Amino acid sequence: MSEYGADTPTIGDVPRIVTPPVEPHLPPRQWLAKNLFPSKLNTLLTIVASLVILAIVRGLLGFIFNPIRQWNATAVNLRLMMTHAYPADQYVRVWVSVAVFLVLTSLSLVVWRVGFRILLRKLAKQVIAGGVFGLLVSVLAPFSTNATLIWLAVSAGVLAIGLGLLRAPEEATISSLTLVVGASSLAAASLWLIPYGRHSFVPDRTPRILAEPGTVAITTKLPWTIMLVIAVATYAVGRMLRDRIPTKQAQTVLLLTWFLAPLALIYLVLRDPDFDMAHVVSTDIPIFLVFAALGSATLFWLTRPDTGEIGRVIAMVILFLGFGSFLTPMRMVIRILLILLAMFSLAAPTFSGDRQTRRRYATTWTVVTLFLCWLITAINTPSTVDVPGEFFMGGFSLTLLVAFFTLIISFPLGVVLALARTSTMPVFRLLATTFIEFVRGIPLITILIFFSVMVPLFLPDGMDLPELTAVTIGYALFASAYLAENVRGGLQSVTRGQHEAAEAVGMTTSQKTVFIVLPQALRVAIPPLVGQVIATFKETSLLYIIGLYDLLFVAKALVPNQTEFMGSTRENLLFVSVIYWIIAYNLSKASQRLERRVGLGER
Amino acid sequence: MTAPTNQASSTHEAVSQRVPLWRDAVVVKWMTQVTLLTLVLATLWFLASQAGDNLSARDIDIGFDFLERPPDIQLSEGIDTHPATGGRALWVGMVNTLRMAGAGIIFATLLGVVVGLSRLSNNWLIQRLGTIWVETLRNVPLLVQIIFYSSVLSTLPRVGLDTGPINGWLHISNKGLSIPRIFIADGFYQWAVVVLLGAIGARYVHKRRVHLHNETGANTSPILWALGTIVVFAIVGLFIHPAFSFIGPIMGAIAGLLDSLPVILPQVVLSAAAIFFAARWIRGFLADRRSAVGHLALSDDDYFRIIFAATAALIAVAILSMWSGFSSWLINSGTDLFEVIEDKFNADGAARPFDAMRPDIVKPGKFANYGTSGLTITIGFAAVFFGVVFYTSAFIGEIVRGGILAVPKGQIEAASAVGLSRAQSLRHIVLPQAFRIILPPLGNQYLNLTKNTSLAIAVGYSDIVQVGQTVYNQTGKTLPVVAIWMLFYLACSLTISVIVNYYNVRLKLVER
């Protein structure tokens, strides 16, 4: 909290919670009169709007519960939509990946102390609204008598619970996490208890959807139940250990794990590389050892504050070695590591300091080298998972994969572009501005078509880039131009005084940028950056046009062409929309909460 | 090189001694930039040469001659469904894109304002509807929406010879919506001249009425008067337009004059203009940098700008002088333009400005389809249109809401204090101020909408991307087509941002 912040009243170190003025609680009739019928015009509007809502709800229910709807197409093809052709006998790998994500999520909830208290009375209103909606559905939807009765009973039950909750004491609250766990436990239990309709390949156009007996396949309900147990158990264990672990370190480790986990899961678990151990021991490990040892020794020495000119000379020599290595045949790994080492050496003066700082810099180099060596080895090793087609993932997992890689490539690129665009050096500015404005002026689809069709033309002989990789690079370039503009907005919000103060204490330009300007700029840029993440996630649907097997492609082009489910396009598209909506909506809500939490606009 | 010492005498020496070359900030800065530029250019050159090698190895020719050749493709809709040349096909695609973007921008703005206002409504139900609209539509990818609308619309009944709610006037089917078409006929251009004269007259009338209002304070409704003037001219024009056929021969004379110009003339004139403007810019720049006492201090950045301007002018001159094709192209296209205008005015006296046709249904083979005489809105158009309009309206709604909320509360209170009604204060106080805040993000949304129309490729609406893809699949000319796409969209983006910036500057608060 700021010391001088007039707009954040603080008592000691604890921020006082400023609650908005409480609206007087109106009895229902007055509430209606105030909010729905305050004037003649408003009464008319209310009537028209209710008719519109009624028509929409009725149309939607008529669509969903129409006897000719083939919801089986979606239910049966869930696996196809999630992972496309990933072999069923290897599916435990997918579940392991999901479990890792859930464990990470649980731990993050623990470490960042996410969650808030919800007033029981407020919750009661939501439950009552749910019950009323359920009643509406059971009256309006074209159910069979049997199904109508079941819906009515369930809705009445929900309504009763809501009314019961309304009698709770005024101040009673419940944790939001308890609520989520409770709701997901109920959902998991319902998988075992409630007959959710029959899922078979037989096209049955029965008019009674809900009354149809049937069960969810064991391959769906068993793993999900286990996943829930894992998530809850991790949270409980983490909660017990929370106070014994230093929070700061735990957060750093978790953030790193969040970044590394997808790569590890893809290249170690899902892809299951068939490592050639003899080759690994004879080539890959020695390369790593040599670079780790020599590199960290060099960097440890280069970061001494009194190295001076000779350090730059050495860095330049390594840089020339790196670029020169392209002239002779050599392993790509060595070239990449040489250039990376040169970059680290050039940046060394920025990170110079005492022994501990220098040791940390050298350790960073070792870790990065280890990670890169492992990644390159894993990418170059053939996979044991046998999947038809170019790539071993498809469906929703491909969507997530492309979004992830786009973001981790485009983020650093965007920051570099933003720095170049605000640089004092005209050539940097010119190049960055040209690139950003060019990319922002053309639609994404032209870039994607360019990268999917044209990239082979620009590659030297013998070099081969898979289409998916090329398209991901196209996505990343596109996103980086927009990210750069967001970061630039953040950079401009850093006040002049900060720059001057950094210069006054004798920082170099790069030290000023890395330690003073960027941290503040990125913090301001969080909301637009999250907006860009959501946009990127939504834009992954364009893979459909390129003809790669993403979620939309499977739902639009594959499933409706199965002989059993001819023309089930709309059902699948609605399902796809719901998936996209849930994720995008929650991301945007989370970003709003984050914005409030880091106190933007308060400092 | 020299370490600064503590003694005052040697400090003076250290300052007077120049820093070594490799520590000189200016030298290091420029060396870095030149190195970077070289690297970028080398990479580009390497890629281009690779592409050249690969293209010649695969026997692909990247010329633009396909623009002149018959493409043998058929478009689903547009000003010309059987284009004679590849260039014409791409032109049809461009017109379709512009048509979609224009219609989308207008309707998305209207709907967006409604959505934004409804989210601020006192009425709980209306407010909730607005919220649901925004939160649903902006969180579902546009492509998914477009495909969904398309698949919903294609479930409409099949077209038959006697279908449609009002057969012969209005048809709705899975081929789209077909209504009577009003189109411009031969006499249109003469009539347009009359309307243009009317517009000039209207401007004058508007001025007079405003002046009258300022003088007397009476309610003179100048805008209504101006509109009335134009309408009067338009109606009169319907009867007198043949009188303006004389413009044709004048245009023909200009075309003849242009045709007789020597090729060297535009070369000389344009080169002179390039040098003149560069020199004027540099002079202005230097004058700008000169302090009041005439002292000129230039940073290396300023030098860069001057060198850049001079080099650009020189390059322009070099290109103009070496490439005479450009100049003759300029002359030829100028001649063509005036000849085309001459043709347009070359109508006989009985020609009408407008004509109308009723929609028809034809059955060439087994299946019936709409004929060409009606105005047809296809399923593809409708799907893309609903997609971009709904999607963008959600974003515009949020912008409008934010803009209105950003107007200080005191303004609204002051408005009600002087006795304005809620509607009046919205119209005269809130919206004009909100518009100033809304405009820049609104322009951004227009840009996004225009770019988003390219998703039409997913539902087969013949926009520039879809036509381009068909053309390069036929001819194999991927590189030129992609280049045309990018140039076209860049031009669109530039146009929109220029217009928005113009209004932005005009609307800016004039502060002391």
Side-chain angles (χ1 to χ4, degrees):
Chain A
M1 286 296 127
S2 69
E3 282 175 62
Y4 310 106
D7 41 0
T8 53
T10 53
I11 304 167
D13 205 17
V14 186
R16 195 176 63 198
I17 297 162
V18 185
T19 46
V22 185
E23 297 244 326
H25 189 77
L26 296 171
R29 185 180 286 178
Q30 277 180 34
W31 185 89
L32 282 178
K34 176 170 179 277
N35 289 308
L36 291 184
F37 308 106
S39 66
K40 274 195 186 122
L41 181 71
N42 261 309
T43 310
L44 188 71
L45 275 179
T46 304
I47 292 169
V48 171
S50 357
L51 287 179
V52 168
I53 291 175
L54 213 63
I56 291 175
V57 170
R58 183 145 178 93
L60 212 60
L61 291 176
F63 177 81
I64 293 174
F65 294 105
N66 197 318
I68 64 163
R69 274 296 91 68
Q70 300 175 317
W71 288 110
N72 271 352
T74 312
V76 170
N77 287 298
L78 265 182
R79 175 176 290 174
L80 196 69
M81 291 206 219
M82 291 299 134
T83 52
H84 188 224
Y86 204 81
D89 54 339
Q90 301 274 337
Y91 220 68
V92 65
R93 296 174 183 282
V94 176
W95 288 118
V96 168
S97 311
V98 175
V100 169
F101 265 101
L102 286 178
V103 165
L104 278 178
T105 313
S106 294
L107 289 180
S108 306
L109 291 181
V110 172
V111 170
W112 271 277
R113 293 163 199 260
V114 181
F116 45 90
R117 313 290 301 182
I118 302 171
L119 276 177
L120 269 183
R121 294 225 168 147
K122 219 170 168 186
L123 180 69
K125 279 180 194 163
Q126 307 267 346
V127 175
I128 291 173
V132 170
F133 186 73
L135 286 179
L136 207 68
V137 169
S138 34
V139 175
L140 290 176
F143 289 149
S144 64
T145 331
N146 209 351
T148 310
L149 285 179
I150 294 175
W151 270 81
L152 273 178
V154 172
S155 314
V158 172
L159 203 61
I161 293 174
L163 289 173
L165 278 176
L166 210 52
R167 286 156 183 260
E170 182 98 36
E171 300 287 304
T173 57
I174 184 171
S175 158
S176 62
L177 288 178
T178 316
L179 208 63
V180 170
V181 169
S184 23
S185 311
L186 274 182
S190 77
L191 288 177
W192 297 90
L193 297 176
I194 297 176
Y196 271 116
R198 218 166 63 203
H199 303 157
S200 65
F201 272 100
V202 186
D204 53 346
R205 306 196 159 198
T206 48
R208 293 184 181 79
I209 305 292
L210 282 164
E212 193 68 18
T215 51
V216 178
I218 190 87
T219 49
T220 302
K221 58 186 175 188
L222 185 64
W224 278 116
T225 315
I226 297 175
M227 292 300 127
L228 181 72
V229 172
I230 290 177
V232 174
T234 323
Y235 183 80
V237 172
R239 188 67 188 270
M240 276 192 289
L241 295 177
R242 174 155 81 184
D243 297 328
R244 290 180 215 162
I245 303 171
T247 313
K248 238 353 220 205
Q249 274 88 323
Q251 286 179 349
T252 318
V253 169
L254 258 182
L255 269 183
L256 242 133
T257 323
W258 267 114
F259 169 70
L260 291 179
L263 291 171
L265 288 176
I266 292 162
Y267 286 108
L268 211 59
V269 179
L270 288 170
R271 197 163 171 274
D272 189 26
D274 185 17
F275 282 120
D276 177 5
M277 273 308 157
H279 185 267
V280 169
V281 172
S282 69
T283 322
D284 296 323
I285 292 182
I287 289 178
F288 160 66
L289 286 178
V290 168
F291 267 96
L294 287 183
S296 48
T298 318
L299 290 174
F300 191 68
W301 182 70
L302 283 179
T303 39
R304 281 161 58 123
D306 53 351
T307 305
E309 298 298 329
I310 193 77
R312 278 168 225 273
V313 173
I314 290 176
M316 289 312 282
V317 167
I318 301 176
L319 192 66
F320 277 114
L321 274 181
F323 281 116
S325 67
F326 280 92
L327 300 175
T328 56
M330 196 179 285
R331 291 191 157 273
M332 204 62 190
V333 163
I334 300 181
R335 292 171 179 162
I336 293 175
L337 285 176
L338 267 176
I339 291 179
L340 202 70
L341 183 60
M343 297 294 157
F344 264 76
S345 315
L346 280 175
T350 306
F351 296 93
S352 65
D354 57 2
R355 256 190 113 70
Q356 203 193 344
T357 325
R358 291 161 58 203
R359 201 176 299 134
R360 201 184 300 152
Y361 196 60
T363 318
T364 313
W365 162 254
T366 314
V367 172
V368 168
T369 318
L370 175 65
F371 175 67
L372 259 182
C373 283
W374 167 75
L375 191 65
I376 292 174
T377 312
I379 289 174
N380 286 335
T381 313
S383 166
T384 53
V385 179
D386 182 31
V387 177
E390 195 189 334
F391 196 65
F392 68 98
M393 275 161 107
F396 188 52
S397 52
L398 183 72
T399 299
L400 288 180
L401 183 91
V402 171
F404 172 75
F405 275 103
T406 302
L407 288 173
I408 62 168
I409 300 172
S410 65
F411 187 76
L413 205 58
V415 173
V416 168
L417 280 171
L419 287 175
R421 199 175 175 175
T422 50
S423 152
T424 52
M425 298 196 239
V427 172
F428 278 76
R429 228 167 37 221
L430 184 78
L431 289 175
T433 312
T434 315
F435 175 80
I436 291 172
E437 292 305 325
F438 177 74
V439 170
R440 275 159 44 94
I442 55 181
L444 175 58
I445 188 64
T446 57
I447 297 181
L448 293 186
I449 290 178
F450 179 82
F451 272 87
S452 85
V453 180
M454 310 281 296
V455 157
L457 286 181
F458 289 97
L459 290 179
D461 253 356
M463 201 172 148
D464 176 41
L465 202 60
E467 192 185 3
L468 184 70
T469 317
V471 168
T472 309
I473 293 173
Y475 266 115
L477 290 181
F478 185 77
S480 70
Y482 286 82
L483 282 172
E485 286 301 272
N486 297 338
V487 175
R488 187 165 72 109
L491 286 175
Q492 282 170 346
S493 77
V494 178
T495 51
R496 236 191 132 61
Q498 296 286 332
H499 287 263
E500 284 161 359
E503 276 156 21
V505 296
M507 286 185 163
T508 63
T509 311
S510 46
Q511 280 174 334
K512 184 180 76 181
T513 310
V514 173
F515 297 118
I516 306 294
V517 178
L518 267 186
Q520 299 184 54
L522 290 181
R523 189 163 158 277
V524 173
I526 284 176
L529 287 179
V530 178
Q532 191 51 44
V533 170
I534 298 172
T536 304
F537 174 66
K538 285 191 291 179
E539 277 156 2
T540 51
S541 56
L542 263 66
L543 287 170
Y544 162 76
I545 299 179
I546 307 295
L548 292 171
Y549 287 45
D550 80 320
L551 176 61
L552 183 59
F553 190 91
V554 175
K556 171 69 176 34
L558 295 191
V559 178
N561 286 338
Q562 295 169 341
T563 41
E564 302 88 351
F565 303 123
M566 265 314 177
S568 58
T569 319
R570 280 171 294 157
E571 291 88 329
N572 294 316
L573 282 175
L574 211 59
F575 176 70
V576 171
S577 322
V578 168
I579 289 187
Y580 271 110
W581 184 84
I582 289 175
I583 293 180
Y585 179 77
N586 285 313
L587 271 177
S588 71
K589 285 288 157 222
S591 111
Q592 284 170 13
R593 225 169 293 140
L594 186 73
E595 211 174 306
R596 260 178 269 142
R597 197 171 153 148
V598 298
L600 280 174
E602 282 181 14
R603 278 187 219 192
Chain B
M1 247 341 218
T2 52
T5 58
N6 302 339
Q7 289 145 356
S9 59
S10 56
T11 313
H12 183 72
E13 268 174 64
V15 168
S16 67
Q17 205 169 14
R18 291 210 43 127
V19 266
L21 214 55
W22 58 89
R23 297 294 299 157
D24 188 336
V26 175
V27 174
V28 170
K29 238 168 106 175
W30 280 99
M31 281 304 288
T32 324
Q33 296 184 65
V34 169
T35 315
L36 178 81
L37 199 63
T38 323
L39 262 179
V40 169
L41 290 180
T43 315
L44 288 180
W45 180 81
F46 171 74
L47 289 177
S49 70
Q50 280 301 333
D53 289 354
N54 283 328
L55 287 168
S56 57
R58 290 171 210 191
D59 227 8
I60 305 172
D61 157 50
I62 53 159
F64 280 83
D65 53 341
F66 70 97
L67 294 177
E68 310 281 334
R69 282 210 218 105
D72 188 32
I73 58 174
Q74 202 180 331
L75 305 180
S76 64
E77 63 189 296
I79 49 175
D80 189 353
T81 48
H82 295 270
T85 61
R88 175 79 179 162
L90 288 176
W91 170 245
V92 174
M94 287 182 201
V95 172
N96 278 341
T97 295
L98 292 177
R99 203 182 258 178
M100 177 68 76
I105 283 175
I106 293 169
F107 283 93
T109 311
L110 294 176
L111 194 58
V113 171
V114 170
V115 170
L117 289 178
S118 76
R119 286 202 69 182
L120 293 171
S121 164
N122 282 340
N123 192 316
W124 183 83
L125 212 55
I126 299 280
Q127 194 191 328
R128 274 300 136 106
L129 264 183
T131 311
I132 290 173
W133 178 270
V134 169
E135 292 295 353
T136 313
L137 288 173
R138 72 171 179 184
N139 283 323
V140 175
L142 175 59
L143 183 62
V144 178
Q145 288 188 41
I146 288 179
I147 297 177
F148 185 75
Y149 300 143
S150 160
S151 59
V152 168
L153 288 173
S154 55
T155 55
L156 286 168
R158 274 212 179 147
V159 63
L161 278 179
D162 52 351
T163 47
I166 312 166
N167 191 261
W169 289 94
L170 173 72
H171 305 274
I172 299 174
S173 74
N174 66 348
K175 295 284 179 190
L177 171 85
S178 189
I179 51 173
R181 177 212 290 266
I182 298 171
F183 56 96
I184 57 178
D186 287 347
F188 175 78
Y189 295 91
Q190 287 99 316
W191 179 78
V193 172
V194 183
V195 175
L196 200 68
L197 289 178
I200 296 168
R203 199 180 150 72
Y204 173 72
V205 170
H206 183 259
K207 240 185 201 161
R208 279 303 302 266
R209 299 303 294 183
V210 169
H211 184 71
L212 203 65
H213 171 75
N214 292 344
E215 291 282 293
T216 62
N219 190 3
T220 52
S221 44
I223 293 191
L224 269 183
W225 273 75
L227 283 178
T229 317
I230 295 182
V231 170
V232 167
F233 268 82
I235 293 171
V236 172
L238 288 179
F239 303 101
I240 64 154
H241 69 265
F244 286 86
S245 301
F246 69 88
I247 294 176
I250 298 178
M251 294 294 162
I254 296 177
L257 185 70
L258 272 178
D259 200 26
S260 61
L261 286 179
V263 178
I264 192 84
L265 192 70
Q267 276 179 313
V268 172
V269 170
L270 288 178
S271 302
I275 291 173
F276 171 74
F277 281 116
R280 206 176 75 162
W281 186 85
I282 292 174
R283 244 182 63 192
F285 186 75
L286 287 179
D288 202 40
R289 284 287 183 278
R290 209 178 283 278
S291 65
V293 288
H295 180 66
L296 187 65
L298 291 176
S299 66
D300 49 326
D301 198 8
D302 297 340
Y303 280 118
F304 173 81
R305 285 184 190 166
I306 293 171
I307 294 169
F308 187 76
T311 322
L314 285 182
I315 289 175
V317 170
I319 289 177
L320 280 167
S321 56
M322 283 193 293
W323 186 30
S324 63
F326 180 70
S327 303
S328 49
W329 176 80
L330 263 186
I331 291 184
N332 285 340
S333 46
T335 314
D336 286 351
L337 180 69
F338 281 100
E339 273 171 1
V340 167
I341 298 177
E342 185 195 2
D343 261 10
K344 297 285 183 198
F345 281 95
N346 218 353
D348 64 351
R352 278 182 295 180
F354 295 102
D355 239 326
M357 273 199 283
R358 276 171 55 190
D360 59 340
I361 294 175
V362 293
K363 197 170 181 182
K366 208 173 164 194
F367 299 106
N369 202 348
Y370 293 147
T372 48
S373 46
L375 177 67
T376 305
I377 293 170
T378 58
I379 295 296
F381 182 93
V384 181
F385 177 76
F386 288 141
V388 292
V389 167
F390 290 173
Y391 188 74
T392 315
S393 78
F395 288 92
I396 292 181
E398 281 302 274
I399 292 169
V400 169
R401 187 174 79 109
I404 291 177
L405 285 179
V407 173
K409 212 171 174 183
Q411 296 283 330
I412 302 164
E413 287 166 358
S416 62
V418 297
L420 294 186
S421 75
R422 208 179 132 77
Q424 277 174 331
S425 93
L426 195 69
R427 159 81 185 78
H428 293 289
I429 307 294
V430 178
L431 280 182
Q433 296 187 59
F435 193 63
R436 206 170 279 142
I437 305 163
I438 289 170
L439 192 67
L442 193 66
N444 238 342
Q445 286 307 320
Y446 290 165
L447 283 177
N448 286 345
L449 188 146
T450 310
K451 286 183 284 173
N452 280 339
T453 55
S454 60
L455 296 183
I457 190 175
V459 291
Y461 173 67
S462 307
D463 80 323
I464 174 77
V465 176
Q466 202 258 342
V467 174
Q469 200 181 32
T470 319
V471 167
Y472 77 64
N473 280 339
Q474 288 257 325
T475 58
K477 307 286 175 107
T478 325
L479 205 57
V481 169
V482 170
I484 290 174
W485 282 346
M486 292 185 172
L487 282 180
F488 171 72
Y489 279 109
L490 281 179
C492 288
S493 303
L494 204 66
T495 314
I496 294 178
S497 39
V498 164
I499 294 173
V500 169
N501 274 344
Y502 170 74
Y503 278 105
N504 210 3
V505 170
R506 267 191 55 174
L507 282 177
K508 221 179 212 159
L509 271 183
V510 183
E511 283 171 354
R512 275 166 294 167

